[in-house]
Amino acid sequence: MPVLRISCSDCWPGLIEACDDAMRAVLAEKVQRVQQQGCVNVQSYGKHWPCLLPQHGPGKKHERPIVLTDWQRTIVEAHPGHFLRGLFHSDGCRVSNRVTVRGKKYVYPRYMFVNESTDIMGLCQWALDLLGIAWRMNRRNSLSVARREAVAALDRHVGPKS
């Protein structure tokens, strides 16, 4: 029987609870939490998980296509902030960027999203564009959101990992 298993760091108990709640809201009648060293595996068995997550497959994500189905695209278009929250909580971070310009030191918040899959990176860019949030690629596999108004907008959608 297919299993959806998501490993969540012990550092973010609110994220563990949200993961459990989301599984129950979507499909799962029963969700288990399996404690591991430093993390909790939140998991649920169900024959319909592959129907909801058709992107799943053998091999590395960056070596196979990751494309949303039409019904998934419709959901992301209606709720891009929720989609971005999931992306940034799994493969992103909010950091204090420190720079020195002409001897003066500046510190400002910035979001980073890193993923080897060009398809997943493209989906992140698309969702940010849907919300009008400015971004730029600072490396081939790394996206940065650094403008003050863009960071504030992303703060409203992503929020802290609580």
Side-chain angles (χ1 to χ4, degrees):
M1 169 119 26
V3 61
L4 174 62
R5 182 176 296 119
I6 300 174
S7 296
C8 303
S9 171
D10 286 337
C11 298
W12 310 109
L15 210 51
I16 295 166
E17 192 66 34
C19 182
D20 187 300
D21 291 346
M23 283 186 186
R24 291 176 195 278
V26 172
L27 179 69
E29 293 178 19
K30 186 175 173 187
V31 175
Q32 299 141 348
R33 295 182 188 189
V34 180
Q35 183 67 52
Q36 302 289 318
Q37 185 175 354
C39 71
V40 174
N41 288 329
V42 182
Q43 63 187 32
S44 171
Y45 290 85
K47 64 182 177 181
H48 294 295
W49 283 123
C51 302
L52 291 175
L53 302 166
Q55 295 79 12
H56 174 72
K60 299 174 181 176
K61 293 183 307 240
H62 68 279
E63 294 176 350
R64 59 185 161 85
I66 303 293
V67 180
L68 298 181
T69 63
D70 290 343
W71 66 268
Q72 290 171 321
R73 286 187 74 80
T74 300
I75 292 170
V76 173
E77 286 171 345
H79 306 283
H82 293 294
F83 183 69
L84 288 167
R85 183 174 193 262
L87 290 175
F88 278 91
H89 279 194
S90 65
D91 293 321
C93 64
R94 186 182 191 275
V95 297
S96 292
N97 199 44
R98 300 172 194 289
V99 295
T100 303
V101 178
R102 293 193 272 302
K104 186 167 181 180
K105 295 182 182 201
Y106 297 91
V107 178
Y108 63 93
R110 154 178 156 169
Y111 280 92
M112 301 293 296
F113 179 75
V114 178
N115 203 293
E116 291 297 323
S117 167
T118 56
D119 290 343
I120 293 172
M121 187 60 74
L123 290 169
C124 181
Q125 294 165 350
W126 170 62
L128 288 165
D129 288 346
L130 287 173
L131 291 172
I133 295 174
W135 56 270
R136 70 176 190 84
M137 298 299 293
N138 57 325
R139 288 194 317 268
R140 141 194 93 64
N141 64 343
S142 179
L143 176 148
S144 170
V145 174
R147 292 187 178 167
R148 181 178 292 130
E149 63 279 358
V151 169
L154 208 47
D155 281 344
R156 290 191 294 276
H157 293 286
V158 174
K161 293 180 184 179
S162 53

